[in-house]
Amino acid sequence: MDPIQLKSGAALAVSIAPFAAGKHLLKTVARELSTVDFNLDLKSFDSLSEKDVNVLKNVAFQVIGSDAIEAAIMKCAEKCLYNGERIISTTFESEETRPDYLPVAWEVMKANLRPFLTGLDLSSSTKSKPNSNAPESATT
């Protein structure tokens, strides 16, 4: 992947982690998010209600506050480069690099979850089924 320019000016090169690490991240995120009530009424992102904002806040805090998700993200980040250096446990130790921690974690998480989710066809699960009493169309 092409390097991502972070707001700080740092360069992030994200690489996809091995399948096992990515799958572990997927399962960890799913497990953590199963504890959040996703009762959203999103007709459009332009009209988020206070309740919707609270749900999104709860999701963000659940992800940020999870040690299990953090460990899974850091395992996936081992193949990524931050300013040309491999990401390790001390990469964000300095005060100068800490502001990049959450943006890096977000990019690593997105890159490693995307391959699992792109194969899903959720549109078929939301389409209504035809009424069984409805006459079938004749095709000849």
Side-chain angles (χ1 to χ4, degrees), residues 7-98:
K7 287 183 181 180
S8 68
L12 172 66
V14 179
S15 297
I16 301 299
F19 176 75
K23 185 177 72 165
H24 179 69
L25 175 62
L26 175 69
K27 292 171 89 172
T28 303
V29 169
R31 194 170 27 256
E32 289 290 332
L33 292 185
S34 70
T35 65
V36 178
D37 180 18
F38 279 94
N39 190 8
L40 292 174
D41 183 24
L42 294 178
K43 293 175 182 66
S44 79
F45 280 109
D46 296 334
S47 61
L48 288 175
S49 71
E50 185 176 324
K51 182 182 128 203
D52 296 336
V53 170
N54 196 43
V55 169
L56 295 174
K57 173 201 58 98
N58 291 343
V59 168
F61 285 173
Q62 185 69 32
V63 170
I64 292 168
S66 169
D67 290 334
I69 290 177
E70 178 183 18
I73 289 171
M74 290 308 288
K75 185 68 178 167
C76 289
E78 289 176 356
K79 296 194 65 127
C80 302
L81 301 176
Y82 176 80
N83 281 336
E85 301 286 329
R86 291 230 179 259
I87 295 175
I88 58 174
S89 61
T90 58
T91 298
F92 302 102
E93 192 63 40
S94 75
E95 190 174 339
E96 293 78 32
T97 59
R98 284 190 190 182

